[in-house]
Amino acid sequence: MNIKFSREHEWIDASNPQAAVVGITAHAQDALGDVVFVDLPEVGKTYKQGEVAGVVESVKAAADVYMPVTGEIVEVNEALRADPALANSDPLGAGWFFKVKLVNPAEIDALMDQAAYAEFCKNA
């Protein structure tokens, strides 16, 4: 997987630009604690990079989920809606939030790779 990371702690796997997978990072779920609710975006809705596309709530706090790229929501993870704890147990796998059809694939290049994100988290 070629995963990239945003400064808002979302990850995106754009291996398929027609259905790039987006979720929150392990760092984000660690900071949030036990996730108890997710508000997922509506399929068919288009968001600009940086816009709020959902909400994740934990026992500690609520946090917005931001679009790491501009695109149209093509699928949401209904399993996550039914079992929000998947965001904790498997944030980079079964705990994905939604899939997005990229409008501008070049936006991926501006996101951080694994090493840059790890460094960002140390300094944040």
Side-chain angles (χ1 to χ4, degrees), residues 53-115:
V55 176
V56 58
E57 293 182 14
S58 73
V59 293
K60 290 184 189 176
D64 291 330
V65 177
Y66 296 92
M67 282 294 288
V69 294
T70 301
E72 177 188 346
I73 304 298
V74 295
E75 185 180 344
V76 296
N77 187 351
E78 293 297 342
L80 181 66
R81 193 186 316 262
D83 183 9
L86 289 171
N88 294 115
S89 62
D90 193 8
L92 296 175
W96 61 274
F97 277 57
F98 51 84
K99 294 182 181 179
V100 60
K101 179 180 178 183
L102 304 183
V103 169
N104 183 2
E107 289 176 340
I108 294 290
D109 297 335
L111 299 174
M112 295 176 274
D113 63 15
Q114 179 76 39

Side-chain angles (χ1 to χ4, degrees), residues 11-28:
W11 61 266
I12 183 168
D13 176 359
S15 301
N16 177 356
Q18 299 300 308
V21 184
V22 177
I24 63 170
T25 65
H27 178 84

